[in-house]
mmCIF file of all heavy atoms in Angstrom:
data_model
loop_
_atom_site.group_PDB
_atom_site.id
_atom_site.type_symbol
_atom_site.label_atom_id
_atom_site.label_comp_id
_atom_site.label_asym_id
_atom_site.label_seq_id
_atom_site.Cartn_x
_atom_site.Cartn_y
_atom_site.Cartn_z
ATOM 1 N N THR A 63 82.656 82.867 68.374
ATOM 2 C CA THR A 63 81.702 82.619 67.268
ATOM 3 C C THR A 63 80.444 83.429 67.440
ATOM 4 O O THR A 63 79.753 83.687 66.450
ATOM 5 C CB THR A 63 81.359 81.119 67.236
ATOM 6 O OG1 THR A 63 81.038 80.698 68.557
ATOM 7 C CG2 THR A 63 82.461 80.262 66.686
ATOM 8 N N CYS A 64 80.130 83.902 68.647
ATOM 9 C CA CYS A 64 78.949 84.766 68.795
ATOM 10 C C CYS A 64 79.276 86.215 68.552
ATOM 11 O O CYS A 64 78.436 87.098 68.768
ATOM 12 C CB CYS A 64 78.315 84.574 70.183
ATOM 13 S SG CYS A 64 79.429 85.061 71.510
ATOM 14 N N GLY A 65 80.510 86.518 68.133
ATOM 15 C CA GLY A 65 80.868 87.873 67.739
ATOM 16 C C GLY A 65 81.470 88.722 68.870
ATOM 17 O O GLY A 65 81.751 89.897 68.648
ATOM 18 N N ARG A 66 81.690 88.137 70.022
ATOM 19 C CA ARG A 66 82.223 88.929 71.115
ATOM 20 C C ARG A 66 83.744 89.067 70.989
ATOM 21 O O ARG A 66 84.425 88.141 70.604
ATOM 22 C CB ARG A 66 81.917 88.269 72.467
ATOM 23 C CG ARG A 66 80.476 88.464 72.901
ATOM 24 C CD ARG A 66 80.278 87.987 74.312
ATOM 25 N NE ARG A 66 80.968 88.887 75.258
ATOM 26 C CZ ARG A 66 81.127 88.637 76.535
ATOM 27 N NH1 ARG A 66 80.690 87.469 77.013
ATOM 28 N NH2 ARG A 66 81.699 89.481 77.317
ATOM 29 N N ASN A 67 84.209 90.254 71.305
ATOM 30 C CA ASN A 67 85.644 90.525 71.273
ATOM 31 C C ASN A 67 86.145 90.405 72.711
ATOM 32 O O ASN A 67 85.659 91.129 73.596
ATOM 33 C CB ASN A 67 85.839 91.942 70.740
ATOM 34 C CG ASN A 67 87.234 92.151 70.218
ATOM 35 O OD1 ASN A 67 88.126 91.395 70.593
ATOM 36 N ND2 ASN A 67 87.392 93.110 69.335
ATOM 37 N N LEU A 68 87.073 89.522 72.972
ATOM 38 C CA LEU A 68 87.522 89.277 74.365
ATOM 39 C C LEU A 68 89.034 89.360 74.455
ATOM 40 O O LEU A 68 89.738 89.049 73.483
ATOM 41 C CB LEU A 68 87.112 87.873 74.831
ATOM 42 C CG LEU A 68 85.621 87.587 74.960
ATOM 43 C CD1 LEU A 68 85.444 86.099 75.217
ATOM 44 C CD2 LEU A 68 85.038 88.374 76.103
ATOM 45 N N VAL A 69 89.510 89.780 75.629
ATOM 46 C CA VAL A 69 90.958 89.732 75.894
ATOM 47 C C VAL A 69 91.152 88.748 77.037
ATOM 48 O O VAL A 69 90.591 88.928 78.115
ATOM 49 C CB VAL A 69 91.543 91.098 76.262
ATOM 50 C CG1 VAL A 69 93.006 90.973 76.623
ATOM 51 C CG2 VAL A 69 91.371 92.078 75.099
ATOM 52 N N VAL A 70 91.924 87.695 76.781
ATOM 53 C CA VAL A 70 92.228 86.731 77.847
ATOM 54 C C VAL A 70 93.755 86.611 77.943
ATOM 55 O O VAL A 70 94.482 86.947 76.995
ATOM 56 C CB VAL A 70 91.621 85.322 77.558
ATOM 57 C CG1 VAL A 70 90.124 85.363 77.627
ATOM 58 C CG2 VAL A 70 92.106 84.800 76.221
ATOM 59 N N PHE A 71 94.204 86.179 79.119
ATOM 60 C CA PHE A 71 95.641 85.953 79.208
ATOM 61 C C PHE A 71 95.922 84.668 80.011
ATOM 62 O O PHE A 71 95.100 84.253 80.840
ATOM 63 C CB PHE A 71 96.393 87.147 79.810
ATOM 64 C CG PHE A 71 96.109 87.433 81.228
ATOM 65 C CD1 PHE A 71 96.775 86.704 82.252
ATOM 66 C CD2 PHE A 71 95.227 88.408 81.637
ATOM 67 C CE1 PHE A 71 96.554 86.985 83.595
ATOM 68 C CE2 PHE A 71 94.994 88.698 82.962
ATOM 69 C CZ PHE A 71 95.657 87.978 83.947
ATOM 70 N N HIS A 72 97.057 84.055 79.698
ATOM 71 C CA HIS A 72 97.535 82.904 80.426
ATOM 72 C C HIS A 72 98.627 83.348 81.374
ATOM 73 O O HIS A 72 99.601 83.962 80.933
ATOM 74 C CB HIS A 72 98.028 81.852 79.441
ATOM 75 C CG HIS A 72 98.401 80.566 80.121
ATOM 76 N ND1 HIS A 72 99.369 79.730 79.668
ATOM 77 C CD2 HIS A 72 97.901 79.976 81.240
ATOM 78 C CE1 HIS A 72 99.513 78.714 80.473
ATOM 79 N NE2 HIS A 72 98.600 78.827 81.436
ATOM 80 N N ASP A 73 98.460 83.096 82.674
ATOM 81 C CA ASP A 73 99.481 83.468 83.656
ATOM 82 C C ASP A 73 100.634 82.474 83.556
ATOM 83 O O ASP A 73 100.472 81.291 83.903
ATOM 84 C CB ASP A 73 98.878 83.462 85.069
ATOM 85 C CG ASP A 73 99.822 84.096 86.067
ATOM 86 O OD1 ASP A 73 101.064 83.953 85.874
ATOM 87 O OD2 ASP A 73 99.356 84.676 87.053
ATOM 88 N N LEU A 74 101.769 82.914 83.031
ATOM 89 C CA LEU A 74 102.873 81.980 82.790
ATOM 90 C C LEU A 74 103.669 81.667 84.059
ATOM 91 O O LEU A 74 104.535 80.809 84.052
ATOM 92 C CB LEU A 74 103.813 82.587 81.730
ATOM 93 C CG LEU A 74 103.173 82.856 80.371
ATOM 94 C CD1 LEU A 74 104.150 83.548 79.444
ATOM 95 C CD2 LEU A 74 102.648 81.576 79.758
ATOM 96 N N ARG A 75 103.394 82.398 85.158
ATOM 97 C CA ARG A 75 104.111 82.129 86.414
ATOM 98 C C ARG A 75 103.331 81.125 87.255
ATOM 99 O O ARG A 75 103.855 80.083 87.636
ATOM 100 C CB ARG A 75 104.267 83.418 87.224
ATOM 101 C CG ARG A 75 105.555 84.129 86.934
ATOM 102 C CD ARG A 75 105.798 85.198 87.983
ATOM 103 N NE ARG A 75 106.401 84.694 89.173
ATOM 104 C CZ ARG A 75 105.877 84.781 90.370
ATOM 105 N NH1 ARG A 75 104.679 85.331 90.549
ATOM 106 N NH2 ARG A 75 106.496 84.325 91.429
ATOM 107 N N ASP A 76 102.064 81.473 87.526
ATOM 108 C CA ASP A 76 101.276 80.645 88.443
ATOM 109 C C ASP A 76 100.285 79.763 87.728
ATOM 110 O O ASP A 76 99.563 79.004 88.378
ATOM 111 C CB ASP A 76 100.565 81.548 89.447
ATOM 112 C CG ASP A 76 101.543 82.430 90.183
ATOM 113 O OD1 ASP A 76 102.647 81.926 90.482
ATOM 114 O OD2 ASP A 76 101.223 83.600 90.447
#
Side-chain angles (χ1 to χ4, degrees):
Chain A
T63 47
C64 63
R66 285 189 69 191
N67 201 338
L68 295 171
V69 175
V70 292
F71 69 81
H72 185 211
D73 190 329
L74 300 176
R75 268 192 84 239
D76 303 323

